[in-house]
């Protein structure tokens, strides 16, 4: 733990993948993870890493990080954000929880990928107790506008 702490302070983010120490000799972050076994972590709110791109997020993330709310912030189709594979990984990971806790997915942008995923997997979402929020409110800032959701705990 001290070594991990020192490496993250001296070289922030370079040796960590999803907060896990990675093997610097490997070029693939997924293959370099040495994830210790342990119980899942329960949180109220989690942002899906890397704007919901498939770079570092797989079903294992959703098996281990169990959130009441997941935020999908991707809005860059050219870079695969949000990734259909990551949205599917949510379904796969949640299906292995063993408990049917309510999960709410909060997309920050209305994208073709999220719309298609929602329509094509709606039955599975219902089966897994996953709700996808759509926002009827819009925030306008300078030259940009985007949907908004209010979450209260």
């Amino acid at each position: 733990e001290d070594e991990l702490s020192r490496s993250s302070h001296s070289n922030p983010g370079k040796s960590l993948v999803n907060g896990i120490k990675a093997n610097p000799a490997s070029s693939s972050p997924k293959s370099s993870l040495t994830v210790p076994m342990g119980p899942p972590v329960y949180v109220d709110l989690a942002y899906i890493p890397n704007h919901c791109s498939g770079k570092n997020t797989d079903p294992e993330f959703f098996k281990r990080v169990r959130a009441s709310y997941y935020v999908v912030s991707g809005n860059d189709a050219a870079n695969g954000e949000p990734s259909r594979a990551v949205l599917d990984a949510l379904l796969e990971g949640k299906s292995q929880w063993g408990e049917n806790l309510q999960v709410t997915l909060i997309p920050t942008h209305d994208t073709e990928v999220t719309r298609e995923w929602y329509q094509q997997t709606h039955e599975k979402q219902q089966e897994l107790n996953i709700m996808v929020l759509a926002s009827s409110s819009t925030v306008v800032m300078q030259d940009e506008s985007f949907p908004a959701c209010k979450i209260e705990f």
Side-chain angles (χ1 to χ4, degrees):
E1 190 169 295
D2 288 341
E3 179 185 333
L4 179 60
S5 177
R6 280 193 302 275
S7 69
S8 65
H9 289 300
S10 64
N11 200 0
K14 297 294 184 192
S15 64
L16 298 179
V17 177
N18 282 344
I20 312 269
K21 185 169 175 116
N23 178 355
S26 173
S27 61
S28 171
K30 284 186 182 178
S31 67
S32 65
L33 291 179
T34 53
V35 181
M37 294 306 293
V41 176
Y42 291 86
V43 296
D44 291 327
L45 176 71
Y47 280 78
I48 298 176
N50 295 325
H51 304 286
C52 196
S53 80
K55 294 175 186 169
N56 300 68
T57 308
D58 59 11
E60 192 64 30
F61 172 79
F62 296 105
K63 289 178 201 171
R64 293 174 177 263
V65 180
R66 299 181 181 187
S68 297
Y69 299 88
Y70 289 102
V71 176
V72 176
S73 64
N75 190 28
D76 186 356
N79 284 321
E81 300 168 2
S83 165
R84 169 67 188 253
V86 172
L87 297 171
D88 289 340
L90 167 63
L91 297 175
E92 184 181 335
K94 172 93 170 51
S95 70
Q96 296 182 32
W97 285 12
E99 49 196 331
N100 201 14
L101 300 174
Q102 171 73 46
V103 167
T104 303
L105 191 66
I106 306 168
T108 60
H109 295 86
D110 182 22
T111 67
E112 186 175 329
V113 170
T114 54
R115 272 183 270 130
E116 285 180 4
W117 177 82
Y118 176 80
Q119 292 170 349
Q120 294 170 0
T121 64
H122 188 68
E123 286 182 27
K124 184 72 170 174
Q125 293 166 41
Q126 288 180 321
E127 176 187 317
L128 293 172
N129 203 15
I130 297 173
M131 179 175 71
V132 179
L133 281 187
S135 176
S136 60
S137 300
T138 303
V139 173
V140 178
M141 296 177 65
Q142 297 174 354
D143 297 331
E144 182 182 11
S145 66
F146 49 89
C149 294
K150 180 179 178 182
I151 303 172
E152 292 184 10
F153 296 97

